[in-house]
Amino acid sequence: MKFLILLTIAIVLIYCNKQSPVASASFVITNPPVVSDKIRIQRAERMKAGLKNSITRHYIFGYGSLVCSKSRKITAPTLTEPAQPVVVNHLRRTWTARVPHSDDKGKNVKDELGHVIHGQTAMGIEISEGHNCTGVLIEVDPQELAMFDEREKGYDRVEIDLHQIFGLDDDDQSTSDGKNRHHVLEQALRRRKSMQSLNMEDVTTKPCNYDDTSNSEQDVLDDLKVWAYIPKDGGTGADHNYPIMQSYVDVILRGCLSISKDFALKFLESTHGWWHDQTIH
């Protein structure tokens, strides 16, 4: 435990003073394509048309490499809005998304101990009562959502219930008026209050299913969708053949540190499976 704490502090200190070198070319985050004014206008028009025609507003909950703005803009250069840091209840972040090498790439690559590397292990999440996961909300239009579906094709896209979403260090009582809240956080707060008024179970600590939504509230839920990508079939933990790549961790930490040091520490402390025997199913 002491070693983990020291390792955590060391990593954060390194990133606070110096950008860590990328160890693998496959994870180099180059500067994303420059978004022209024409592209910005086109995206704004698509979003405006979507709202006018009551098309659903889509958000992706990014909890790994998507926390890094450069990484997500490589997939969707048209993204312009800043991501919103949040916490989602009943999710646990895990190293369980194995990504095999494509074709013959890395076919004969071995680590220093002679283990053949068949691929790498990326970040995943799993539904887990009593846990929570930090990340960011990224608003996307339908075209951008399709781009991320292609990027995350080793994952299943699942919907997150609004009542599970909180702001960082959120306090429903002190911010009950919803002023200056992100759109999703405001709707999440309203959803929790609505559920509490119906004397439902404690929605902040226990997941629940519900079918008693009012018509007006259902309209909001229909027009607002928050998605997360979960490894197919639950995923499998890292091992010598599918290691965790340092350069991949670098990308995630770069995104976390762009939010705050505390956000980066929470990522390190709450992520499960840094050692492969923790994630063997």
Side-chain angles (χ1 to χ4, degrees):
M1 184 64 184
K2 184 180 293 184
F3 172 78
L4 178 59
I5 294 174
L6 291 173
L7 175 63
T8 299
I9 294 173
I11 292 175
V12 172
L13 288 176
I14 289 172
Y15 270 83
C16 290
N17 294 282
K18 178 180 179 181
Q19 181 175 318
S20 177
V22 176
S24 172
S26 61
F27 286 100
V28 172
I29 297 299
T30 57
N31 291 326
V34 176
V35 181
S36 67
D37 291 338
K38 182 178 179 181
I39 292 178
R40 293 178 187 277
I41 293 173
Q42 289 175 343
R43 183 179 191 276
E45 289 176 345
R46 291 203 307 269
M47 298 294 286
K48 183 178 179 180
L51 294 175
K52 182 178 180 180
N53 297 321
S54 298
I55 295 177
T56 300
R57 294 179 69 174
H58 295 281
Y59 291 84
I60 294 172
F61 173 60
Y63 54 85
S65 60
L66 292 184
V67 174
C68 178
S69 62
K70 287 187 176 181
S71 177
R72 57 181 181 262
K73 285 185 177 180
I74 288 174
T75 299
T78 52
L79 290 174
T80 56
E81 296 299 319
Q84 172 65 40
V86 295
V87 178
V88 179
N89 281 4
H90 318 309
L91 291 180
R92 182 171 71 163
R93 181 167 31 222
T94 61
W95 288 104
T96 51
R98 288 191 172 186
V99 183
H101 285 313
S102 59
D103 302 323
D104 293 330
K105 178 183 178 182
K107 184 176 180 180
N108 298 312
V109 174
K110 297 182 180 180
D111 64 15
E112 63 275 13
L113 298 177
H115 300 109
V116 178
I117 299 177
H118 299 301
Q120 62 208 12
T121 300
M123 193 61 69
I125 52 173
E126 60 186 14
I127 298 172
S128 181
E129 183 178 339
H131 290 87
N132 59 60
C133 181
T134 54
V136 295
L137 292 178
I138 309 154
E139 185 168 12
V140 295
D141 64 27
Q143 294 180 33
E144 292 162 342
L145 184 61
M147 294 175 186
F148 284 106
D149 283 348
E150 176 62 23
R151 166 175 170 154
E152 310 294 351
K153 56 188 176 183
Y155 298 71
D156 291 320
R157 174 160 55 88
V158 300
E159 186 174 356
I160 297 177
D161 290 328
L162 281 178
H163 76 272
Q164 296 176 225
I165 304 173
F166 293 79
L168 300 181
D169 301 318
D170 214 346
D171 182 348
D172 284 355
Q173 300 304 318
S174 64
T175 55
S176 59
D177 59 1
K179 291 182 178 179
N180 300 318
R181 279 180 169 274
H182 185 275
H183 176 62
V184 174
L185 294 178
E186 182 177 352
Q187 298 305 327
L189 174 58
R190 291 181 180 179
R191 179 60 180 148
R192 287 192 290 275
K193 289 185 175 296
S194 175
M195 295 171 71
Q196 289 170 340
S197 69
L198 294 171
N199 296 318
M200 301 182 71
E201 296 182 74
D202 186 351
V203 299
T204 66
T205 60
K206 189 172 184 179
C208 56
N209 297 318
Y210 43 86
D211 297 308
D212 46 10
T213 311
S214 66
N215 290 335
S216 60
E217 187 176 9
Q218 188 60 52
D219 289 340
V220 172
L221 296 177
D222 288 342
D223 292 341
L224 178 62
K225 301 292 185 183
V226 179
W227 305 99
Y229 292 99
I230 296 182
K232 292 182 181 294
D233 302 320
T236 304
D239 63 13
H240 296 299
N241 302 120
Y242 287 87
I244 298 169
M245 303 296 288
Q246 178 62 55
S247 53
Y248 181 78
V249 178
D250 291 349
V251 171
I252 301 174
L253 278 176
R254 190 174 299 132
C256 291
L257 285 168
S258 70
I259 297 171
S260 70
K261 296 179 186 178
D262 185 58
F263 194 88
L265 282 171
K266 286 181 178 178
F267 161 77
L268 292 166
E269 294 168 350
S270 64
T271 299
H272 185 74
W274 289 99
W275 290 273
H276 73 274
D277 57 344
Q278 292 181 328
T279 50
I280 293 176
H281 295 297

